[in-house]
Amino acid sequence: MKRRHFIRNTLAASVAALGGVAALQMYQQNQLDYSETENLGFLSKDDQVLLSVLIPVFTSGIPQQPSVAITIANIDKAIMLLPLRTQDELRQLLDGLSNSFGRLILAQVWVNWQAADVSQVNQFLDSIREHSIGLLQDAYVGLHKTILGAVYAEADAWPTIDYPGPPF
Amino acid sequence: MTISYPNTTNFSEQTPPQSITVDLVVVGSGAGGGVAAEILSRSGLKVLIVEEGPLRTSADFKMREKEAYADLYQEVASRQTLDKSIQILQGRCVGGSTTVNWTSSFRTPSQTLDYWQSEFNLKGFNREALDPWFAWAEQRLNIAPWEVPPNANNQKLADGLDALGWSHQIIRRNVNGCANLGYCGTGCPINAKQSMLVSCIPEALKNGAQLFSRARVESLIVNGAKIDGLWLSSMDKNGQVKQKRVTKVVAKHIVLSAGAIGSPAILLRSSQIDRRSSLGKRTFLHPVSACIGRMPDKVNAYQGAPQSVYSDEFLWRDGVAGELGYKLEAPPLHPTISAIMLRQHGDKHFELMKDFAHFHASLALIRDGFNSESVGGEVSLDSYGYPQLDYQISDMTWRALKDSLLKLTEIQFAAGAKGVLPIHMDASFYGSWRQAEKAIKALPTVTSRFQVMSAHVMGGCHFGGENSNSVCDSSGRVNGLENLSVMDGSLFPTSLGVNPQLSIYGIVAKLATQLGKELGANPPEDLVRIADMIS
């Protein structure tokens, strides 16, 4: 089975486990707002909406919240430097989360991504971090690395961890 | 001091030549390529150096992870094995990994050399034969024991080892005028680190060598038992192939120094290369386990020489070919790399990160390859012709990784840690050694949970004597091909048990001097004297 199909089937199974009908109804009731998205090299508008939900949740403990727009721009630049094979994998992951099945999983957890409750998204991340399906654990690690790597690369995050930055 | 880089062409910004004819081409500008290029250009040969990464110098080095990982590392410092189980830090720039390494310098251990001789029939690489070459490299690159007191992060490692009665020593470093900043990993901003970027590469250029940066070798042009030359592709500013086969290089001799993933990949991309040997196989990583200790006082593990203390207490713990031993060292901590290592999110992540300044980190690097159960990984090509490394962690390696976590934890508590966190997705901060010991023993040894790292890639084109199924002979020549040599860490038939740079410098100095003589050139006298003394 091709990886792309595997992701789709895996997500579909997860939706079923979560009770997909209710989720489908919720999904159909909610439209996404693309007004804050940019034309970037790799990340589509759907990807940006997804990340704009996930970034504040990954970083919710940081007293000084990072800029979502800068973080997304940094992530995009970094992805453009990755080998094409890795870019393909990221595309499949992000599509998997943004396509109908992915949205269904997410919709099960919150009604509208952009009005999401942080604790519910946190639970979603907790669940994929511990998921018995390796692919979903990989998705967690991929999102974690991508988002938190980009956040702590910026000087804005440093005072919160008592890091003074380079000496000159 | 300003260092000049004459005779360089940046393939992402300048128009590459359609063809070029040289005596010798060196592919890669890291530890192997740098030394080979210096020696062979000083021998009077017309040398071309080809580097897929960019030329960045101290003026570009701003001590920030963001720019450094993007500019200087393979895959934005997130290269990983095929199953994503091991994260690999590896350089991709002029100077290769030497531009970003932590300067630790060790001669190849005698146990390793003896093993190569007995298991791979490798002649001429014993202690006596190699020590003069290491001495040459040490002088050339100012390698000496670090005389400044260790930074707090390294001192904690020493304190813990002392408290338990375990041995430790001071690391030798390739620096000259080091200001003890702690930013070796993002490129030395004051040219104190004697990387290839500031030593052998500029020396080769001064001797008339040319450097093509942002140029990748697409394939070798094989003609029977001879290589006629090679095809270069240009790379864009994102490190992606811009134009394939843009330049044809014609050379009398080709030296591959593209590292233990890059060199096998070039051979695999070239048709008519014999695949029956161990080509691409026996790739070793020194798999690394790590622990973070929360100290009562600030450690500021980003500050000061990143590595100055090591322990070989457990390196040969079960003999050379028994259970895999490990070397203990301390890694520096910077915000991005720490944030990625701590695999939590939201409040739980910041709860860990807020103590960043109090973190002390230590690691164990596992000596893989010295046992029939430790066969290493295999480099192959993906559908884009780009290399990928399949490395399956053996049961024996898991045992060593877990055993090393126990030792690291015990040492950190002995050094005064109030809590210790093994880097594993199912671990948390443990408040006592007894609690940690019990928890670590129960941690699952599975790839998706146990976070394993590596900064040392070795093997894939290993050399050896007769009947060793080697890719190269003891001169570094690829078997069956007259004018193709490998001169980098991919020659090693096992891992080393020590950080690899000095082993590469010394062994390549020997091989390049020998090659210079064989090609009828005039290698530098000091090197010829060493070669004559040993033979």
Side-chain angles (χ1 to χ4, degrees), chain A residues 82 85 88 140 154 162, chain B residues 66 240 298 345 382 384:
Chain A
L82 293 173
R85 177 183 76 246
D88 289 348
Y140 175 81
E154 287 298 319
D162 204 5
Chain B
K66 182 177 158 183
Q240 311 292 352
K298 280 191 185 177
H345 52 273
D382 68 14
Y384 296 101

Side-chain angles (χ1 to χ4, degrees), chain B residues 216-261:
Chain B
R216 180 185 289 169
V217 174
E218 197 55 43
S219 58
L220 304 168
I221 303 165
V222 185
N223 180 7
K226 205 169 165 295
I227 307 291
D228 286 343
L230 43 86
W231 284 107
L232 300 181
S233 298
S234 58
M235 311 296 284
D236 66 18
K237 64 179 172 43
N238 286 327
Q240 311 292 352
V241 173
K242 188 173 162 188
Q243 196 182 341
K244 280 200 169 187
R245 293 181 171 228
V246 70
T247 299
K248 183 180 182 180
V249 179
V250 177
K252 294 192 192 88
H253 201 96
I254 291 99
V255 173
L256 296 183
S257 306
I261 292 177

Side-chain angles (χ1 to χ4, degrees), chain A:
Chain A
M1 191 187 303
K2 281 190 174 171
R3 189 180 165 88
R4 189 188 295 273
H5 293 150
F6 180 62
I7 292 174
R8 193 188 301 156
N9 294 343
T10 303
L11 291 172
S14 305
V15 169
L18 288 166
V21 177
L24 180 63
Q25 287 168 349
M26 281 190 225
Y27 165 64
Q28 286 171 337
Q29 287 162 9
N30 290 282
Q31 294 299 313
L32 298 175
D33 174 6
Y34 293 101
S35 60
E36 299 287 315
T37 58
E38 305 277 342
N39 287 321
L40 297 176
F42 180 87
L43 295 170
S44 69
K45 291 185 183 296
D46 274 335
D47 301 337
Q48 294 175 55
V49 169
L50 174 71
L51 288 169
S52 71
V53 172
L54 293 177
I55 288 166
V57 180
F58 264 102
T59 60
S60 61
I62 305 176
Q64 182 89 24
Q65 277 291 290
S67 156
V68 169
I70 291 174
T71 307
I72 287 178
N74 282 346
I75 290 171
D76 191 68
K77 277 186 206 148
I79 294 174
M80 295 293 284
L81 298 163
L82 293 173
L84 298 176
R85 177 183 76 246
T86 313
Q87 291 193 18
D88 289 348
E89 286 181 9
L90 279 168
R91 171 62 32 237
Q92 286 165 22
L93 165 64
L94 292 167
D95 283 354
L97 291 170
S98 287
N99 73 13
S100 55
F101 291 118
R103 286 192 195 185
L104 285 173
I105 295 185
L106 300 174
Q108 172 65 17
V109 204
W110 63 89
V111 178
N112 181 315
W113 298 12
Q114 289 156 325
D117 178 293
V118 169
S119 71
Q120 287 176 314
V121 187
N122 245 320
Q123 281 171 17
F124 165 72
L125 292 177
D126 282 341
S127 75
I128 61 169
R129 186 185 188 276
E130 306 300 329
H131 211 281
S132 57
I133 295 169
L135 206 67
L136 291 176
Q137 285 187 37
D138 287 351
Y140 175 81
V141 173
L143 290 169
H144 176 278
K145 187 163 65 175
T146 307
I147 292 173
L148 288 169
V151 167
Y152 282 94
E154 287 298 319
D156 289 350
W158 300 342
T160 64
I161 57 166
D162 204 5
Y163 173 65
F168 56 87

